[in-house]
Amino acid sequence: EPEVTQTPSHQVTQMGQEVILRCVPISNHLYFYWYRQILGQKVEFLVSFYNNEISEKSEIFDDQFSVERPDGSNFTLKIRSTKLEDSAMYFCASSDRTGGTKTQYFGPGTRLLVL
Amino acid sequence: DAKTTQPNSMESNEEEPVHLPCNHSTISGTDYIHWYRQLPSQGPEYVIHGLTSNVNNRMASLAIAEDRKSSTLILHRATLRDAAVYYCILFFGNEKLTFGTGTRLTIIP
């Protein structure tokens, strides 16, 4: 069964460093998302992406964050200058549009720890 | 976003059916009812969704009240692997899923 994959599974970085989290969405999907979950808290939406542009973003997704689909398969989240509070699990998701709703399929996540 | 209300936690015995309730009294006519679950240390996993009629798939069944103000996710025979947080989410045309705190399901061997 097709699945969303994410790399790396764990990333440790120093505050102020740039990180890039990578995702390979399901191959025929057209909509892509990033969510994050701080330890012990809810899953929060960050950004959605369709047709090579951001379609919606949350307040969390400030100028330090960017997303890109550099080729036909990868979808990346870049954090330009990491802060301690960026430590979280980051989940990528993808969807197509079937039956009038966009069911999203999630990857296993990248655990980011900022020191 | 329309709001859903779920119990914080539930317990069930292994190999017995589990009924997870969700109230969504402010649901709009175009909202789909989606259920996701999150196993420990994993990403959310799609379980099932429906609009008006009851739905079945290999994982679960979804029973939707006639007035659509509530729904119930049914796991027909719970296993230890079903221990997770279950989220009921109303969703249509929005780009984002809005997760609440869900119901933490504990399965007792």
Side-chain angles (χ1 to χ4, degrees):
Chain A
E1 190 170 313
E3 58 183 20
V4 177
T5 59
Q6 291 185 241
T7 55
S9 57
H10 294 78
Q11 172 114 31
V12 181
T13 190
Q14 296 292 322
M15 190 170 56
Q17 294 296 304
E18 175 183 286
V19 295
I20 298 176
L21 309 183
R22 291 184 167 79
C23 169
V24 179
I26 294 173
S27 64
N28 62 340
H29 284 185
L30 300 175
Y31 303 87
F32 313 110
Y33 312 84
W34 284 100
Y35 293 79
R36 79 171 187 191
Q37 186 174 32
I38 296 170
L39 187 63
Q41 297 187 23
K42 298 178 190 177
V43 177
E44 301 174 287
F45 168 77
L46 291 178
V47 66
S48 58
F49 191 86
Y50 170 69
N51 201 26
N52 281 321
E53 59 183 31
I54 290 173
S55 42
E56 187 174 352
K57 60 183 181 180
S58 72
E59 289 179 357
I60 303 167
F61 194 88
D62 61 21
D63 292 344
Q64 293 302 311
F65 290 88
S66 62
V67 289
E68 193 177 37
R69 187 154 162 82
D71 53 41
S73 59
N74 290 287
F75 180 51
T76 62
L77 174 69
K78 182 194 290 187
I79 309 174
R80 255 179 280 279
S81 177
T82 49
K83 308 186 193 70
L84 295 176
E85 53 264 38
D86 294 327
S87 296
M89 282 290 287
Y90 287 81
F91 298 109
C92 173
S94 69
S95 72
D96 57 9
R97 188 182 186 105
T98 56
T101 185
K102 300 175 197 164
T103 298
Q104 296 181 23
Y105 297 89
F106 286 75
T110 294
R111 184 176 298 280
L112 176 65
L113 179 60
V114 182
L115 302 176
Chain B
D1 293 328
K3 188 174 166 51
T4 63
T5 304
Q6 299 178 252
N8 288 333
S9 62
M10 290 182 65
E11 286 186 350
S12 179
N13 293 319
E14 194 178 9
E15 299 187 4
E16 292 193 356
V18 181
H19 291 234
L20 296 162
C22 181
N23 287 319
H24 29 78
S25 59
T26 59
I27 190 170
S28 73
T30 54
D31 282 332
Y32 283 79
I33 302 158
H34 281 243
W35 283 82
Y36 283 77
R37 71 181 185 181
Q38 189 173 22
L39 278 64
S41 301
Q42 295 191 28
E45 176 185 27
Y46 166 75
V47 177
I48 199 166
H49 76 274
L51 185 60
T52 56
S53 305
N54 295 344
V55 185
N56 300 297
N57 66 19
R58 63 178 177 82
M59 289 180 72
S61 296
L62 177 59
I64 301 172
E66 203 169 323
D67 63 5
R68 297 202 339 119
K69 293 185 177 182
S70 66
S71 61
T72 302
L73 179 71
I74 302 165
L75 308 179
H76 294 287
R77 198 163 162 270
T79 68
L80 294 176
R81 198 199 171 275
D82 292 319
V85 179
Y86 286 78
Y87 301 99
C88 167
I89 302 172
L90 302 183
F91 184 62
F92 173 73
N94 295 327
E95 295 299 331
K96 61 181 186 282
L97 288 167
T98 301
F99 288 83
T101 52
T103 296
R104 182 174 298 278
L105 177 65
T106 301
I107 305 298
I108 302 166

